[in-house]
Amino acid sequence: MYPSIFVEVAVVDRAINDICILLKCSRHNLNVVPVVKGLVMGWIRFVEGEKKVYCITNVNAAFSIPVDIEAIKDVVSVAHYILVVEKETVFQRLANDKFCERNRCIVITGRGYPDIPTRRFLRYLVEQLHLPAYCLVDSDPYGFDILATYKFGSLQLAHDANLLRVPDIRWLGVFTSDFEEYCLPDCCLLHLSPEDRRKAERILARCYLHREVPEWRSELEAMLQKGVKFEIEALSANSISFLSDEYIPQKIKQGMHL
């Protein structure tokens, strides 16, 4: 209605955040909800309002994450853990490999930076099902920032952090050291750009890294020191299904996470 005032989405976002802070409420209380971009698959079923979401009948199929968390009821799951992956390409790789069929788990992706429904849904599942949650992101500053968003919340929505964050989420990978550990080819390695370096330095300045996860901080420092990055998909360079056959199951079984 007023494009001259709200010239871009960011202006609207800031205005909504200000209103939420003034009214001491969350966006969903104002019925301000985005189009959901998150996906879920695996050993779970639930009812959202009048809609039955039975992922468990086809554990390798993707379902949209529900918008209205308050409308969820009758949650049933036989999963042993929740796996959060950064990107839809990795989510699809796991689906193609029938990862959930072979591993009793729930897999979620926010397709990059997670939206509010994805973060609320993950928080809801962890609280309701009492399952451990693991996160798999690219070995670059942006992947690290996405990981931090799940665990600590975002700066933009700091006033809602306690409703959105998952404090006990565990970092499964990928780590800078994985490149040498798994003998990945050099063609998968990229040098950090100046913007990557600035991003990493801004993240390192956040107080919670010093206080709550010093081992995460050490990993980010190692990435910055070596000056390299690589994507999750690099783990599939030697074998297309290495991620689902070996990397994820072994890391979880052996407790190789931070």
Side-chain angles (χ1 to χ4, degrees):
M1 291 171 63
Y2 303 102
S4 61
I5 298 174
F6 300 103
V7 293
E8 58 183 0
V9 174
V11 178
V12 181
D13 277 340
R14 286 195 294 269
I16 293 171
N17 285 343
D18 289 344
I19 292 168
C20 288
I21 292 168
L22 284 169
L23 299 180
K24 297 181 180 180
C25 69
S26 298
R27 288 181 175 221
H28 65 271
N29 298 128
L30 302 178
N31 202 30
V32 178
V33 292
V35 175
V36 177
K37 65 174 186 172
L39 299 172
V40 60
M41 66 178 173
W43 296 87
I44 185 173
R45 75 180 190 202
F46 57 89
V47 177
E48 180 192 7
E50 302 300 319
K51 175 185 170 186
K52 294 180 179 178
V53 183
Y54 280 22
C55 304
I56 206 166
T57 59
N58 185 358
V59 295
N60 301 306
F63 292 79
S64 293
I65 280 174
V67 175
D68 190 359
I69 304 302
E70 283 71 22
I72 297 176
K73 59 185 179 181
D74 301 333
V75 180
V76 176
S77 177
V78 292
H80 296 154
Y81 61 87
I82 301 169
L83 175 65
V84 181
V85 297
E86 176 183 343
K87 298 180 291 191
E88 187 179 4
T89 52
V90 176
F91 183 92
Q92 192 58 54
R93 177 73 263 157
L94 297 179
N96 292 344
D97 289 343
K98 302 187 186 306
F99 181 80
C100 289
E101 192 174 303
R102 296 183 286 123
N103 300 272
R104 287 291 181 98
C105 65
I106 299 165
V107 180
I108 289 173
T109 181
R111 297 182 180 180
Y113 279 92
D115 57 11
I116 292 172
T118 301
R119 291 161 60 190
R120 291 192 70 214
F121 183 62
L122 176 61
R123 168 74 178 246
Y124 176 85
L125 292 186
V126 169
E127 289 184 339
Q128 293 295 313
L129 302 176
H130 306 289
L131 293 175
Y134 303 95
C135 191
L136 185 66
V137 296
D138 287 340
S139 179
D140 64 24
Y142 290 89
F144 189 95
D145 197 27
I146 288 168
L147 169 72
T149 298
Y150 281 113
K151 185 174 180 71
F152 298 104
S154 63
L155 296 176
Q156 184 183 11
L157 296 174
H159 61 282
D160 256 357
N162 288 334
L163 296 175
L164 299 173
R165 73 190 197 104
V166 181
D168 295 327
I169 198 166
R170 303 163 193 186
W171 184 12
L172 194 65
V174 290
F175 304 124
T176 302
S177 57
D178 285 341
F179 191 85
E180 295 176 356
E181 176 76 20
Y182 295 98
C183 302
L184 302 178
D186 289 341
C187 62
C188 297
L189 206 59
L190 296 171
H191 291 288
L192 292 177
S193 68
E195 177 55 35
D196 289 331
R197 288 186 172 277
R198 287 192 291 269
K199 178 78 172 176
E201 288 165 359
R202 287 196 297 268
I203 295 171
L204 284 171
R206 296 177 189 173
C207 60
Y208 58 69
L209 287 185
H210 301 266
R211 188 175 60 247
E212 298 190 41
V213 282
E215 65 278 14
W216 286 22
R217 177 184 169 83
S218 297
E219 278 291 329
L220 187 57
E221 286 175 335
M223 182 195 304
L224 198 55
Q225 184 178 5
K226 291 189 175 182
V228 293
K229 62 181 179 179
F230 62 97
E231 298 186 348
I232 301 168
E233 291 88 341
L235 293 163
S236 301
N238 296 325
S239 170
I240 193 69
S241 297
F242 177 77
L243 194 64
S244 55
D245 289 346
E246 298 184 45
Y247 185 86
I248 296 173
Q250 285 182 6
K251 283 235 173 187
I252 293 176
K253 185 178 180 180
Q254 297 172 13
M256 298 168 63
H257 48 73
L258 297 177

